[in-house]
Amino acid sequence: MMTRFLLLIALLIGLAAPARADDISAAGRGVVRVVTIASAEGQIVGFGHGSGLAVAPNRIVTNAHVVELAARYPDNVVIGIVPSEGAKSYRGKLIAYDAQRDLALIEFTGTQLPPLTVYPGPVTDGETVIALGYPGNVDLATAQSAADYIRPLMPVRSQGGFAGRRAISGVDVLLHTASIARGNSGGPLLDICGRVIGVNSAITRTEEGDSSFGFAIADTELAAFLRDAKQPYATTGAPCTSIAQRLEQDKETAAQRADREAQAAQAAAAQAAEKRSAAIERALQDQARTRENFIGGATLLLVLGSLGLSGAGLLATRGARRQAFWALGGGGVLMLSAVVLFFVRPFGEVSVALPAAATTATGPAPVVEGKLLCHISPERSRINTSSPGDVTIDWGKDGCVNTRTQYVENGSRWERILVPAEEQTVSILEYRPAERVYTESRYLLSASAMEQARRLRSSVTIKACSPDEPTRQKLAQQQAAIRDALPPQPDEWLVYECAAAK
């Protein structure tokens, strides 16, 4: 009987229920049911279950009291891990146990789970919190047989408010009003962005008419436990911003940016008009001075010409006909020059040539090839479960990145879709050369959605950079098929602003 029950854990039992596309559902894919089966002399003598959360692809945190019998009788108690998705259950091994903090760490093999992210930031009184897990009273109402306890199902969610911090036997706990029951033990308490703020552990005893409160082991205790167990885990201190809030902020930011650019353009136009007006005024003044000089010169030539003609007449009366002839000719030339100089004086409209305006700070940056250092822009990003650092990319001709990865052109941007073999995340990497902006849009997908994305990814045959345009067009078509299979909005997007690396 024991053997058949253990085989039942490992067999295909059923498919996971579809999950809603939100942060809590994404976190739920890393929540499991933890089952313990005790045997003695070949007979099952005990069965228990609780909840757990993935802190690594193959490691689960749960309450110590959920696996207490396994810690006391390791040869007689089997631990089963039942993921929220898929069709199989897996056998686990206890590798760390802390009865004081009521935490335990379990390792298993056979599949990879998406780890949850711990949020170490402050939680304010009244803040919305969500519990995920497998409450036993729901199982009692819905389970038809023992097999239903090892059937992969998405965890039950309940919502409440944060009610403060307390200490129980020297251990920090979070008090909350999210509904939990026996079976929720070891499951996560989350903020509305799906980050772990505690591990549900107990509920208050209630008399008739009393309200029920839940206790969760605080994130500080969880972090200390994982450090003692030498278990790395994901953490982020980014404030929780919903997708709707971030999109609204992006809209406001874009409007503010457009307003600043319009104001800068107006200021530049006004400055250019002022410079032009000043240049025209200077040109008019120069023209007036030049015209006065022309008129003055014409007057002087006219006087000198008159003197020449008068001198010619005087010389003719004295019989100096040769000298009179030259005086007459010179006077005539001077008179004619005066007339010409008068009529060629500058007048009319002034033509002003201004230098071309320099590129403003709000204009597009020149496209740069080579190594770029990109810094995260928190105000333009939705940072939810990641801890992004600086990114260095080597941008090459025709979208060749880091000399090995081919991006494809999509309008003014270049993009590449990554579908990893192990993680349950699809990422669209995008670079806009004219703006020097690099982005990563992350989609946290269900197991079935990841299988579909991997099937589509298997048709992509381009593994390296290619200068051949038809080859890149084929890659673009293959990536478009993957993009069409993704949800309308990513769960997380990271925006980096880049500059040439020194």
Side-chain angles (χ1 to χ4, degrees), residues 368-372 374 391-409 413-418 429-433 437-439 463-467 472 475 479 498:
V368 175
E369 292 184 7
K371 288 189 176 181
L372 299 167
C374 306
V391 173
T392 301
I393 61 174
D394 190 351
W395 181 253
K397 186 179 179 181
D398 296 328
C400 181
V401 176
N402 299 333
T403 70
R404 64 179 182 273
T405 303
Q406 180 65 57
Y407 282 45
V408 295
E409 194 170 10
R413 59 187 186 270
W414 294 76
E415 62 184 31
R416 183 65 184 253
I417 301 180
L418 297 183
L429 307 180
E430 180 182 288
Y431 181 59
R432 300 194 289 273
V437 170
Y438 179 78
T439 63
K463 305 298 183 183
C465 293
S466 173
R472 296 202 303 269
L475 175 60
Q479 291 201 150
C498 305

Side-chain angles (χ1 to χ4, degrees), residues 9-14 81-83 85-90 110-111 150 152:
I9 292 178
L11 291 176
L12 299 176
I13 301 297
I81 302 298
V82 188
E85 296 184 302
K88 296 180 67 175
S89 301
Y90 304 89
T111 190
I150 53 174

Side-chain angles (χ1 to χ4, degrees), residues 139-493:
D139 292 323
L140 289 174
T142 60
Q144 302 298 314
S145 66
D148 288 326
Y149 286 88
I150 53 174
R151 187 186 306 276
L153 291 171
M154 289 300 292
V156 177
R157 72 169 75 185
S158 61
Q159 182 172 306
F162 176 67
R165 280 183 178 260
R166 295 291 187 272
I168 299 179
S169 301
V171 176
D172 288 337
V173 297
L174 307 181
L175 186 64
H176 64 86
T177 60
S179 297
I180 59 175
R182 294 179 178 88
N184 277 105
S185 293
L189 184 68
L190 310 170
D191 66 6
I192 60 173
C193 282
R195 289 94 61 91
V196 179
I197 59 175
V199 179
N200 285 311
S201 179
I203 55 176
T204 56
R205 293 181 179 177
T206 58
E207 302 294 339
E208 185 175 353
D210 288 347
S211 298
S212 176
F213 289 87
F215 293 98
I217 308 301
D219 59 284
T220 51
E221 302 289 356
L222 173 62
F225 168 73
L226 293 174
R227 285 196 301 269
D228 292 344
K230 296 181 173 54
Q231 174 60 53
Y233 62 97
T235 181
T236 180
C240 178
T241 305
S242 70
I243 291 179
Q245 287 174 319
R246 175 53 69 199
L247 291 175
E248 184 62 28
Q249 290 174 359
D250 289 347
K251 184 177 178 181
E252 293 176 359
T253 300
Q256 293 171 357
R257 186 183 302 114
D259 186 57
R260 288 195 302 268
E261 292 176 354
Q263 291 178 0
Q266 291 175 355
Q271 187 178 25
E274 183 179 351
K275 288 182 178 180
R276 181 176 178 81
S277 178
I280 291 174
E281 181 64 28
R282 288 194 301 270
L284 288 172
Q285 293 175 358
D286 293 341
Q287 185 187 68
R289 284 193 296 269
T290 303
R291 185 167 56 247
E292 290 172 358
N293 291 336
F294 271 63
I295 294 174
T299 302
L300 178 60
L301 291 175
L302 185 63
V303 171
L304 293 175
S306 298
L307 291 176
L309 295 177
S310 300
L314 181 61
L315 290 171
T317 58
R318 295 181 178 180
R321 298 183 63 183
R322 184 181 180 85
Q323 289 83 353
F325 176 78
W326 284 108
L328 178 62
V333 170
L334 290 174
M335 294 287 286
L336 182 61
S337 298
V339 173
V340 172
L341 191 61
F342 177 78
F343 282 106
V344 299
R345 73 190 187 280
F347 62 90
E349 294 183 358
V350 175
S351 177
V352 178
L354 296 176
T359 302
T360 63
T362 57
V367 176
V368 175
E369 292 184 7
K371 288 189 176 181
L372 299 167
L373 181 61
C374 306
H375 301 284
I376 190 70
S377 177
E379 67 278 4
R380 301 175 65 181
S381 305
R382 185 182 190 237
I383 305 171
N384 191 19
T385 59
S386 301
S387 297
D390 292 345
V391 173
T392 301
I393 61 174
D394 190 351
W395 181 253
K397 186 179 179 181
D398 296 328
C400 181
V401 176
N402 299 333
T403 70
R404 64 179 182 273
T405 303
Q406 180 65 57
Y407 282 45
V408 295
E409 194 170 10
N410 185 357
S412 62
R413 59 187 186 270
W414 294 76
E415 62 184 31
R416 183 65 184 253
I417 301 180
L418 297 183
V419 184
E422 300 295 338
E423 297 178 22
Q424 278 190 223
T425 303
V426 171
S427 297
I428 298 181
L429 307 180
E430 180 182 288
Y431 181 59
R432 300 194 289 273
E435 303 173 46
R436 296 192 197 174
V437 170
Y438 179 78
T439 63
E440 179 182 359
S441 300
R442 306 180 74 242
Y443 296 80
L444 311 181
L445 302 182
S446 66
S448 59
M450 281 302 304
E451 288 179 7
Q452 181 184 10
R454 288 176 182 133
R455 283 196 300 269
L456 294 170
R457 174 66 179 84
S458 64
S459 66
V460 178
T461 56
I462 300 172
K463 305 298 183 183
C465 293
S466 173
D468 182 54
E469 179 65 23
T471 300
R472 296 202 303 269
Q473 287 295 330
K474 181 179 179 182
L475 175 60
Q477 294 171 359
Q478 293 167 335
Q479 291 201 150
I482 301 175
R483 191 189 305 108
D484 291 343
L486 296 175
Q489 290 288 350
D491 298 277
E492 186 176 38
W493 56 91

